[in-house]
Structure formats: C-alpha cells, structure tokens
Amino acid sequence: MKIALVLQTLGKGGAERVASLLSQQFERDGHQVHVLLWEAVQHYPHGGQLTVLNTPATPSLMGKLFNLFKRALLLRRWYQQQRPDLVISLMETANIPAVLSGIPVVISVHLDPRFELAGYQKLLMKWLYPLPNVRARVAVSKGIAAVLEQHFAIEGWKVIANPVDLQAIDQQKRFPSLPVIEGVTDDYLLGMGRLHEQKGFDLLIDAYAQSQLCRVKPLVIIGEGEARAQLEAQVARLKLQDWVHFPGWANNPFPWFAGAWAFVMSSRSEGLGNTLIEAMACGCACISADCDFGPRDIITHEVDGLLVPAESSKALSQAFDRLAMHEPVRQALQRGAMRRAKDFALPLLAQQWVKIIA
C-alpha cells in the first residue's frame, strides 16, 4: 500500500512525533511511505520519502487564506501524480487544506478545537469535515471525539490513540540523562512538556512546595517555553531554587522517565497526553490531573496510575504524600503502568490506521 502523511512540520510536538513513528512503522510493515510537509522543519526522523511543499506559515489572515488554497492546490497536484492508497492528515493545518483539495483523505484531530483553534479554522472545520471526500475522521481521545460531535455537529469519529515505540524506548531509556543536573541522579519528581500555562507547571510547583517531598526529593521539569521566566520567579518566591530544576529540552526524554521516583502530568487541558504514555512505558508511577481529555483514556485510577481533580495543587500534593507514605502502592502503580503501555504499542496502532479504510 502507498501511504502519505501530511502535516505542517516534523518539529517538536505530539502530532509530529506520531507522524514520525507511524511513517517508520508503515515502512517496516512493507508499505511505500511519503511524508509531506508544508515547511522544511525537522526534529524527528521519518520513514519513506520526504517531500516539502514549501508553503510556510504566515502571521496575517490574508496570508493564511492564500496559503490554505495554495496548499490545497499543491497537494492535489501531488496526489494526481502519486495516487496513494491512503492519505492521512494530522492537525488542522493539514486537515483543512487536504479536505479543501478534494482528494480522498483521513483527517485526524489531536487538540481540543474549542480552545486551540482560530475562529476561521472552526468555521472551516464545520463546513469541510463532513464532506464526502473525507474517508474517515479520527480523534486521539474519546473526549475530543465527543466535543467534535456535540459542539461542532460533526459525526462519525473513530478513536485511535497516539502510539509509543516500546522497543526503542526500552533501548533509549538506558542512555545517560542529558543535560546533566549537578547533584541530581535519580529518585526525583518529574514533569515534562512545553513551559506554558496549559501544562499547569505552576500548579505542580505549588503542589511540590506543599508536599512532604519538598526539600527531600528534587523536582525536575523538562521542557522550554514562554512561561519559563514566570515559573522561575515562582520558584524563587518559594526559595526552592536548589530543589526545582529547569534543564530545558531533552532530545531523549526516556532516561529521565526511567530515573524518576514518579511522573506528574499537571495539565489544565490535553488532547491525549503522549508524555504520560511514554512515562508509563518506562515504568513510572504516574499521577495525572484529570483534565477534560486524555488522562482518563490512558489511566485506570488506582490500577496503573492516580487521577486527581484538575487545576488543584492540593490534590496533587496529597497524591505525592500518599505515594511517599505507601511505597507498595507506588510499586504497584509502576507495574500497572508497564502493562497498560502495551496497549499503545506502535505496531498495534499502525495496523488500526491501515484497517480504517479496509
């Protein structure tokens, strides 16, 4: 089968990571793979042949609309030349021009469209996504599918979660953790993601400050983003500069998961929560805010992780203290996490994408 994946870039991001993994697995499975990008930005590797259609993002509304039609035209021309059996678009920057092009396409939604999209994108979604050239509609979580049906009146969604490459993770988690934090080797509390209000790291820092773990185990937050200065100021106010660390991005996050005492996802909102699945694959005891979408698709409370009320530093702190006082509970969650991670294995979920048009 000839399969094409269409997306904005292969830069740092959850959907980009999904495209990277799927393209490589499709190639391993014997498919002819093409990865089509609007911009020549690449952080992740890919399988198959890479084509850059060279229509980079622009800040102006007129530029965005011009880009939209240019992308649709370029994609239609490419499709007519290559005639793939399956075209998968990832995120609205690919979904909208792909549907507008008129080619047969499987669209996928990875974020909450109520909050993550511009107004013109929401209008185009309502108009374009029900069109007959959309062969299938995929959401990464049940919650997102429900929102698309209830708030946007777009029906017929299938749910396929984001995959993890368990074999690669098992190898990569054995590498040294980089960048190195002086005095921190393992047995730390870990958060990971873009330093942005959505990720709730301010809640995580407050929870740490309230918990029994404060000044006992370090807190490490891996990532970069616009909220770094604000978070560092919060740590300074709490006088926790020696205990809370922001080492930046980690190209290989898996040694950090492997060395963590527990992983915490404090997000105010998520599409699914790739880092949560990756942490479970590394055997982390996981605590997650039960935000609207994602965590409850991944965690069964008390079996393979703990779910706590969203936007509550107190609830997070209480969960930390519970694991600190009950080591057998933490160890049971570690075992449950590794079992649950197998449900997100890359070969299994890649087959679901291929079967979607069978």
Side-chain angles (χ1 to χ4, degrees):
M1 182 181 289
K2 183 185 286 189
I3 302 174
L5 296 163
V6 186
L7 67 162
Q8 179 79 25
T9 73
L10 277 175
K12 295 174 181 177
E16 293 83 354
R17 178 66 171 155
V18 170
S20 169
L21 292 173
L22 287 176
S23 67
Q24 293 174 84
Q25 185 62 44
F26 288 151
E27 187 172 49
R28 284 192 290 267
D29 290 342
H31 301 292
Q32 184 180 346
V33 180
H34 292 264
V35 178
L36 280 71
L37 306 180
W38 304 136
E39 297 185 59
V41 177
Q42 185 178 352
H43 173 74
Y44 295 118
H46 65 85
Q49 180 177 332
L50 182 69
T51 300
V52 179
L53 297 178
N54 197 27
T55 52
T58 178
S60 71
L61 180 58
M62 289 302 296
K64 291 179 188 296
L65 293 175
F66 176 78
N67 249 358
L68 178 61
F69 287 99
K70 184 178 181 181
R71 289 172 177 181
L73 178 62
L74 291 172
L75 182 57
R76 184 173 182 84
R77 287 177 179 170
W78 182 90
Y79 177 84
Q80 290 171 341
Q81 293 170 357
Q82 297 290 335
R83 293 292 175 182
D85 302 294
L86 171 61
V87 178
I88 300 169
S89 60
L90 295 97
M91 304 279 283
E92 276 58 49
T93 51
N95 292 340
I96 292 172
V99 180
L100 189 63
S101 74
I103 69 172
V105 63
V106 174
I107 61 173
S108 63
V109 178
H110 295 248
L111 299 170
D112 184 345
R114 295 175 299 175
F115 308 118
E116 303 286 346
L117 300 182
Y120 81 94
Q121 289 177 309
K122 295 176 184 178
L123 290 173
L124 289 171
M125 278 177 55
K126 290 182 178 181
W127 173 44
L128 293 172
Y129 286 10
L131 291 180
N133 63 306
V134 179
R135 301 179 71 181
R137 303 168 187 85
V138 175
V140 297
S141 67
K142 295 175 184 176
I144 287 180
V147 162
L148 289 161
E149 291 178 351
Q150 296 166 13
H151 292 264
F152 291 82
I154 307 169
E155 298 183 347
W157 292 89
K158 300 178 184 295
V159 176
I160 302 179
N162 293 338
V164 290
D165 188 337
L166 296 177
Q167 290 185 341
I169 288 173
D170 187 58
Q171 294 173 354
Q172 293 174 34
K173 72 182 183 182
R174 305 172 195 275
F175 297 164
S177 299
L178 293 172
V180 174
I181 302 174
E182 186 176 352
V184 177
T185 53
D186 56 15
D187 203 35
Y188 45 83
L189 197 61
L190 179 66
M192 187 175 298
R194 185 164 56 102
L195 303 185
H196 184 275
E197 182 184 10
Q198 173 211 342
K199 297 298 184 181
F201 292 128
D202 56 320
L203 300 170
L204 174 55
I205 293 166
D206 279 342
Y208 173 75
Q210 297 170 41
S211 78
Q212 297 177 16
L213 299 180
C214 186
R215 296 186 174 89
V216 175
K217 297 183 186 298
L219 170 61
V220 177
I221 299 176
I222 300 290
E224 277 296 351
E226 54 268 45
R228 172 185 270 274
Q230 178 182 339
L231 295 171
E232 289 177 337
Q234 179 184 3
V235 169
R237 286 195 303 272
L238 294 167
K239 296 180 171 35
L240 292 174
Q241 298 96 319
D242 293 336
W243 291 93
V244 180
H245 305 277
F246 299 93
W249 285 112
N251 288 331
N252 177 11
F254 303 113
W256 289 102
F257 289 129
W261 178 81
F263 174 75
V264 188
M265 194 167 80
S266 52
S267 301
R268 292 180 166 92
S269 67
E270 282 288 343
L272 181 66
N274 290 12
T275 55
L276 189 55
I277 302 170
E278 291 172 342
M280 295 172 86
C282 292
C284 281
C286 292
I287 301 167
S288 178
D290 189 16
C291 53
D292 277 350
F293 315 134
R296 72 188 69 135
D297 285 45
I298 300 169
I299 287 178
T300 300
H301 184 55
E302 302 279 357
V303 175
D304 42 44
L306 297 180
L307 294 172
V308 304
E311 299 201 50
S312 173
S313 58
K314 182 178 179 181
L316 285 171
S317 178
Q318 290 171 342
F320 302 164
D321 290 348
R322 181 183 173 196
L323 295 192
M325 291 185 291
H326 301 285
E327 178 63 15
V329 173
R330 190 183 73 88
Q331 293 178 359
L333 294 180
Q334 288 179 308
R335 294 190 294 270
M338 294 197 75
R339 289 193 299 268
R340 175 61 172 143
K342 294 177 182 178
D343 296 331
F344 301 93
L346 176 57
L348 178 67
L349 295 183
Q351 288 178 14
Q352 291 185 25
W353 280 101
V354 172
K355 291 177 180 177
I356 207 168
I357 62 164

